[in-house]
Amino acid sequence: MKLFNLKDEKEIVSFDQAVKQGLGKNQGLFFPSELKALENVNDLLELPLVERSQVILKHLIGDDLTNEQLDNIIQTAFSFDAPLTKVDDNLYCLELFHGPTLAFKDFGGRFMAQCLSSIAQGESITILTATSGDTGAAVAHAFHKIPGINVVILYPKGKISLLQEKLFTTLGDNIHTVAIDGDFDDCQQLVKQSFDDISFKETLHLNSANSINISRLLAQVCYYFEAVAQVPESERGQVVFSVPSGNFGNLTAGLIAKTIGLPVKRFIAATNLNDTVPRYLKTGEWSPNPTQATMSNAMDVSRPNNWPRVEALIDRGYLSKDVLSGDTIDEEYTQVAMRQLAQAGYVSEPHAAIAYKALKRQLKEDEVGIFLGTAHPAKFRDTVENVLGQPISLPQALAECAGQESFSVDLDNDFSKLKSHMLSLLTSEC
Ligand SMILES: *Cc1c(COP(=O)(O)O)cnc(C)c1O
């Protein structure tokens, strides 16, 4: 597989390089040089998740990894189901929260960790990533105790739920966590500054593991196929996916799935009040507002860093821009949606509820709606209990870490402080 830098098309890399580097020159995103359609998609849809994903990812990645490597990676990474649950007539939730950290980011995080450890083969690497909640947990768990790989996770102090925080700050070992006095965009900015500092980057062999890493996106393509595979055959051409979006990695993966032949009619980009994209789709004007804190905090992103890939898919003629519409769901309607879902017998959390609400608004009669369930409701227990007025029990993974000590360090929103912290932490170990 060849990929090029969206900011400098002359920079062309292999899949291995793109995974190791994360970003290209000038912080450009890597994008596949070609996206060919899969053959026999209907037969593919008959296969179980792991086997089907092996075919899809071999098709995308080609021979950068051996078949054996890729088969092992996928088997280890995709070790849990993604059931499609019927919520209402013509309306389903694709539950992506049955992995170890109870959020969809387990798919991309685990696949990336396995790819990197397979590609790096003993070389030491530092993963630096910013999280608005769930990436941190998924990355931390995916890389925990993988030899030769250190992980540094930045998150906005006080802006994610305590349980979310506990899921990744309590692991220790090779997982280092830093609470930044700022918001998620500040954390992302610090990550970007780190990658711009060439000598720092080279000293620590920095690698990014957030949704800009191409391996994460490719892994996510697979669960869109899994969703459609569970829809009755007669309804397949009418599927509309509603994707609760923050950094737009999830949506990008869905659009890639359509590009390579998944039968899907269209997509809805559902956001909270941080609605740069829905406004852009309506007006053609890109005007990010300051980031606002909402109940669906994993989507509190006003400058989504995967957006150039979505644009590339459209500009390069892979998809018509008509396949995408946006919707903004404010805090009040998020709560309304959670209550409507509960009335239909389905307890959900704010992110999925936003995608559900967007479907309720936009779905046409002959269409089949699938909203992505990106997190387990227990991950947002306080919010869910407040809104629904009913207790939510904790699954075992959360209950276990809730009582543990956090190893996190507090830092100002200041690159030089982050740099010296990381250098003292990681170079003293060598
Ligand atoms: C990360 C996250 C999202 C947003 O996904 P993007 O790929 O960043 O758009 C939505 N819901 C939850 C629960 C998340 O953790």
Side-chain angles (χ1 to χ4, degrees), residues 101-406:
T101 72
L102 308 173
F104 83 98
K105 294 193 173 77
D106 281 327
F107 279 95
R110 289 166 66 80
F111 181 72
M112 173 177 177
Q114 294 303 319
C115 282
L116 257 184
S117 83
S118 188
I119 291 166
Q121 307 218 333
E123 217 177 289
S124 85
I125 292 178
T126 303
I127 306 285
L128 174 63
T129 188
T131 183
S132 54
D134 290 338
T135 319
V139 168
H141 281 261
F143 284 99
H144 189 211
K145 294 186 174 166
I146 292 189
I149 301 187
N150 271 294
V151 178
V152 178
I153 297 171
L154 311 184
Y155 65 100
K157 185 177 163 72
K159 297 208 165 78
I160 67 175
S161 83
L162 189 63
L163 275 172
Q164 260 184 334
E165 188 172 345
K166 289 276 185 181
L167 254 179
F168 64 92
T169 59
T170 55
L171 291 171
D173 302 310
N174 60 332
I175 310 298
H176 313 279
T177 55
V178 183
I180 298 291
D181 192 4
D183 61 26
F184 175 63
D185 287 318
D186 295 326
C187 296
Q188 268 198 150
Q189 195 52 40
L190 287 170
V191 170
K192 285 187 174 164
Q193 276 176 289
S194 306
F195 280 91
D196 277 349
D197 186 327
I198 301 298
S199 78
F200 180 53
K201 181 180 161 189
E202 282 173 2
T203 308
L204 295 182
H205 299 282
L206 280 191
N207 184 298
S208 151
N210 63 17
S211 56
I212 54 186
N213 194 289
I214 193 70
S215 62
R216 297 172 49 98
L217 281 187
L218 299 187
Q220 289 175 244
V221 168
C222 299
Y223 56 65
Y224 285 91
F225 280 83
E226 176 66 7
V228 172
Q230 293 176 64
V231 171
E233 215 174 317
S234 58
E235 297 174 12
R236 282 181 190 163
Q238 292 304 102
V239 169
V240 179
F241 278 106
S242 179
V243 186
S245 296
N247 254 323
F248 282 77
N250 212 355
L251 182 76
T252 307
L255 295 174
I256 293 175
K258 181 166 173 59
T259 299
I260 63 171
L262 182 68
V264 182
K265 190 170 169 197
R266 62 189 182 96
F267 292 83
I268 303 173
T271 72
N272 61 28
L273 291 172
N274 298 289
D275 62 346
T276 309
V277 167
R279 283 186 292 114
Y280 174 71
L281 291 172
K282 239 184 240 157
T283 66
E285 240 173 276
W286 187 259
S287 56
N289 294 327
T291 308
Q292 300 184 53
T294 72
M295 281 186 287
S296 48
N297 59 42
M299 303 178 355
D300 290 349
V301 182
S302 56
R303 296 170 192 276
N305 59 17
N306 267 299
W307 187 252
R309 286 180 170 139
V310 175
E311 297 248 283
L313 284 165
I314 294 167
D315 292 349
R316 285 163 197 274
Y318 287 116
L319 293 172
S320 149
K321 71 177 194 308
D322 301 338
V323 304
L324 185 59
S325 63
D327 215 331
T328 309
I329 311 296
D330 67 13
E331 292 291 273
E332 191 191 331
Y333 275 100
T334 304
Q335 298 191 35
V336 169
M338 287 168 67
R339 292 197 196 100
Q340 285 177 336
L341 278 166
Q343 263 161 19
Y346 194 74
V347 172
S348 192
E349 50 72 47
H351 304 79
I354 281 176
Y356 164 79
K357 191 74 200 166
L359 269 183
K360 280 301 233 192
R361 284 184 183 166
Q362 296 197 10
L363 199 69
K364 298 184 191 118
E365 225 168 80
D366 56 348
E367 293 176 331
V368 176
I370 300 178
F371 62 101
L372 302 197
T374 44
H376 191 291
K379 278 193 102 161
F380 298 90
R381 181 163 73 160
D382 293 350
T383 307
V384 176
E385 287 183 342
N386 272 337
V387 173
L388 299 184
Q390 72 184 62
I392 304 286
S393 58
L394 285 187
Q396 206 187 345
L398 273 186
E400 275 168 15
C401 69
Q404 287 166 7
E405 184 199 350
S406 160

